[in-house]
Amino acid sequence: PTAWGEAEGFVISSMPDCQVTYAGLPAAVGIVIGIQFNLRFGGGVSVVISPPDGVGLLCSYETLTLCPAGDQREECVEGVQCSQNPFTLTMPWQLAAGHYSLAVASNMPPESPRANVFNIVVADEAGETVDARFQIPGAPILGTDIPLDVASQPTLSWSSSDAGTSSIIRMGVDFRSPVDNVKALYFQFPKERGGPQVVSDIEVTTDVRALNRDFPLTMTQWFDD
């Protein structure tokens, strides 16, 4: 005989505050993907990222960073090991609960993947899942009719280059024509793996200023350190 039963289910709670941000340029190489996630439980030692088909994540240590985000402005995690298939970041110690920001270099597909979503799984030393989030929306790949050279002439200047001192850094870029599909600008400071780094000294929102009044900023938190 065949029988069936019914039982009360349970709620599956995913890792909150997860976001993936990048420029969806067709067939572009070396695009930096910014990933934010809120780890609710400590004890994780690896972060496994499954990107959409056609999006290739790169183990480029010149770009790869994992840092506490928000008010937890501690030093970035050093000694992160990277491996492929699946793309996995292994930490030298356990991650504490909290918000994290991750930067990974990638290669873009020529068009938007049919299933354009990312999955993130944080696991412990035994490979058991500590926290996870699935179906995080990816950015659409822009059409080839959109010009990719609308921004040009990047500039960079600083008030002091003395070692171990604070400096005011000014960065700029020119837009040749109006654009309405830019969500964010990403600036990457010089970093040498195992060597000296340019460390952000930003503590409050007013430490960062937009000098062009025509530059459209959000009314809330408009930068992420």
Side-chain angles (χ1 to χ4, degrees):
T2 302
W4 62 276
E6 189 175 287
E8 184 177 354
F10 55 91
V11 177
I12 298 177
S13 179
S14 299
M15 185 164 51
D17 303 329
C18 294
Q19 184 177 9
V20 178
T21 306
Y22 56 94
L25 304 181
V29 176
I31 296 294
V32 176
I33 296 180
I35 301 174
Q36 296 184 9
F37 59 92
N38 184 4
L39 187 60
R40 296 171 295 176
F41 314 103
V45 296
S46 64
V47 180
V48 181
I49 304 173
S50 301
D53 289 341
V55 176
L57 303 182
L58 308 176
C59 287
S60 172
Y61 288 107
E62 296 179 354
T63 306
L64 182 63
T65 57
L66 176 64
C67 309
D71 295 331
Q72 306 176 61
R73 290 187 173 88
E74 306 167 5
E75 293 185 359
C76 298
V77 178
E78 298 289 345
V80 176
Q81 299 298 315
C82 179
S83 59
Q84 303 277 6
N85 302 319
F87 185 88
T88 304
L89 303 178
T90 304
M91 313 302 148
W93 58 75
Q94 295 182 352
L95 293 174
H99 288 78
Y100 289 89
S101 293
L102 174 66
V104 180
S106 67
N107 295 334
M108 293 289 109
E111 58 185 9
S112 293
R114 177 172 299 180
N116 195 13
V117 293
F118 287 75
N119 300 327
I120 302 176
V121 177
V122 180
D124 60 17
E125 294 180 353
E128 299 293 331
T129 298
V130 173
D131 214 345
R133 181 65 176 266
F134 299 90
Q135 304 291 306
I136 305 173
I141 302 300
L142 302 177
T144 56
D145 58 331
I146 298 178
L148 304 182
D149 59 347
V150 293
S152 64
Q153 298 181 341
T155 59
L156 175 67
S157 62
W158 51 92
S159 60
S160 174
S161 58
D162 295 335
T165 62
S166 296
S167 177
I168 298 176
I169 298 178
R170 178 177 294 188
M171 296 168 289
V173 63
D174 288 345
F175 285 89
R176 299 179 179 178
S177 60
V179 291
D180 58 5
N181 56 359
V182 176
K183 182 178 182 180
L185 294 180
Y186 176 82
F187 296 98
Q188 180 177 335
F189 291 103
K191 180 182 66 173
E192 179 180 348
R193 182 171 173 82
Q197 300 184 21
V198 176
V199 180
S200 171
D201 198 24
I202 299 172
E203 295 183 353
V204 295
T205 303
T206 53
D207 286 342
V208 180
R209 296 175 55 195
L211 302 181
N212 188 340
R213 294 182 179 180
D214 294 331
F215 191 78
L217 301 175
T218 59
M219 298 303 294
T220 56
Q221 179 78 12
W222 56 269
F223 79 92
D224 182 22
D225 180 17

